[in-house]
Amino acid sequence: MDALLQFLHRRGGVARTRELLAAGVRERDLARAVNAGMLNRPRPGIYALPGADPVLVRCAATNSRLTCLSAAEHYGLWTLRKPDKVHVLRPDGMFSSERAVVHRRSWVSGQQDGWIASKADVVLHALGCLPELEALVLVESASRQGISLDFLRDRLPGRRNAGARRILDLVDVGSESLLETLARTHLRRAGFHVEPQVDIRGVGSMDLLVEGCVDVETDGKEHEAPRRRLKDYRRDNTAQSLGFAVARFGYAEIVRRPESMVSQVAAVVEARLALGGLPNSEDL
């Protein structure tokens, strides 16, 4: 019985009868587990642990896989929000629901009998489904994990995929967080020259160097720790001693008020350029 429960835990709490039998579980053991309340049988051919995610149970019942925004967390991909609908891959297209977004095409097979689409499918579905900036942060995180932009672009031919290819054109592999990606994109669209992750001797890596003179830092929650803040103060002081202006922004400003963030950076850049004597390129 322990082997049965361990197998189900590895499968996310849900399995089909054929998978259990193939793993050496006997039908009488399944019946005993159900009678003892250790397993549920939500529908014929499906067994689940009590408390199993109903979304996974639904995937098992409809021969679907989680994909797009619903599978991003599984792969550690950057997202701006939780999905308001479940995104599933169902190649036969038979499953439909007001609570689900159904993706019908698969490019790369996922794990056999798994409930999650392959990472490639997740990214490709996001490129064709999510709003531009949401798709951009997701695909940039995937590129950091090794997914090739050329691989993605080759699978998005034709006019109907032009929007997805435009998102790929915005990708810059230098960003180390979704906040950097968003800030960089908003600033470039405002007409600024922006270089991500520029290493400065004595300072370290600047998140975004704007117009060669303003260090824009994008601060996630990790910057709230007292020890990290002290480190930030020291590096900012060093950057300013070298002639760089420094501007820091948190999640709320970058994600919810990007226009304000851009206008503040514009003011800092204008003030720094008015001073003249820009930082020497030899410091880069």
Side-chain angles (χ1 to χ4, degrees):
M1 197 68 69
D2 288 343
L4 166 60
L5 298 180
Q6 290 173 8
F7 180 84
L8 281 165
H9 277 297
R10 290 195 300 270
R11 297 281 290 107
V14 185
R16 300 185 181 94
T17 303
R18 60 178 173 80
E19 298 163 19
L20 293 164
L21 296 178
V25 178
R26 296 174 298 184
E27 290 190 14
R28 66 183 181 184
D29 289 335
L30 291 172
R32 285 171 53 199
V34 171
N35 291 335
M38 300 169 66
L39 279 186
N40 293 328
R41 191 168 178 250
R43 58 184 61 202
I46 304 292
Y47 290 89
L49 294 172
D53 187 341
V55 173
L56 297 186
V57 174
R58 181 65 170 162
C59 285
T62 59
N63 195 30
S64 305
R65 295 172 183 260
L66 296 180
T67 190
C68 195
L69 198 56
S70 294
E73 184 177 356
H74 174 81
Y75 289 113
L77 302 176
W78 298 338
T79 61
L80 290 173
R81 62 181 173 91
K82 298 290 186 181
D84 50 3
K85 292 185 177 183
V86 178
H87 292 252
V88 295
L89 169 61
R90 181 75 190 272
D92 60 24
M94 294 177 62
F95 170 60
S96 63
S97 169
E98 293 181 354
R99 296 174 296 175
V101 177
V102 181
H103 300 266
R104 293 179 170 82
R105 184 171 182 185
S106 175
W107 293 264
V108 179
S109 298
Q111 181 182 0
Q112 186 177 7
D113 293 323
W115 313 125
I116 309 292
S118 68
K119 186 188 295 186
D121 278 356
V122 169
V123 176
L124 287 161
H125 289 147
L127 280 166
C129 174
L130 300 182
E132 182 184 58
L133 291 179
E134 291 187 33
L136 176 60
V137 298
L138 188 149
V139 74
E140 281 209 2
S141 61
S143 71
R144 285 175 53 83
Q145 294 180 12
I147 286 197
S148 162
L149 298 182
D150 289 337
F151 169 88
L152 297 173
R153 191 173 280 107
D154 289 346
R155 282 151 184 80
L156 295 167
R159 294 175 59 184
R160 67 177 296 181
N161 291 315
R165 294 196 302 275
R166 283 195 293 271
I167 294 172
L168 292 177
D169 291 339
L170 296 174
V171 171
D172 191 318
V173 296
S175 291
E176 294 190 347
S177 74
L178 67 85
L179 295 182
E180 287 183 37
T181 296
L182 292 174
R184 182 199 74 230
T185 303
H186 288 305
L187 290 167
R188 283 180 175 171
R189 285 180 167 173
F192 292 105
H193 176 71
V194 182
E195 301 170 78
Q197 292 300 318
V198 177
D199 193 56
I200 305 295
R201 287 201 302 269
V203 177
S205 185
M206 292 181 173
D207 287 351
L208 303 169
L209 181 58
V210 181
E211 296 297 334
C213 62
V214 177
D215 171 19
V216 173
E217 293 296 313
T218 58
D219 294 349
K221 286 186 177 181
E222 68 276 8
H223 288 264
E224 297 174 3
R227 184 173 296 180
R228 181 57 185 267
R229 268 192 287 180
L230 179 59
K231 181 179 179 181
D232 289 340
Y233 294 155
R234 288 172 175 167
R235 73 173 300 285
D236 290 354
N237 292 340
T238 302
Q240 292 178 70
S241 72
L242 293 173
F244 297 94
V246 181
R248 287 187 174 272
F249 300 94
Y251 183 95
E253 290 173 294
I254 295 171
V255 175
R256 301 188 185 122
R257 298 185 293 276
E259 298 86 358
S260 175
M261 182 269 297
V262 169
S263 66
Q264 291 180 64
V265 172
V268 175
V269 169
E270 182 179 6
R272 181 63 192 83
L273 291 177
L275 293 175
L278 297 182
N280 195 316
S281 60
E282 292 180 359
D283 291 328
L284 302 182

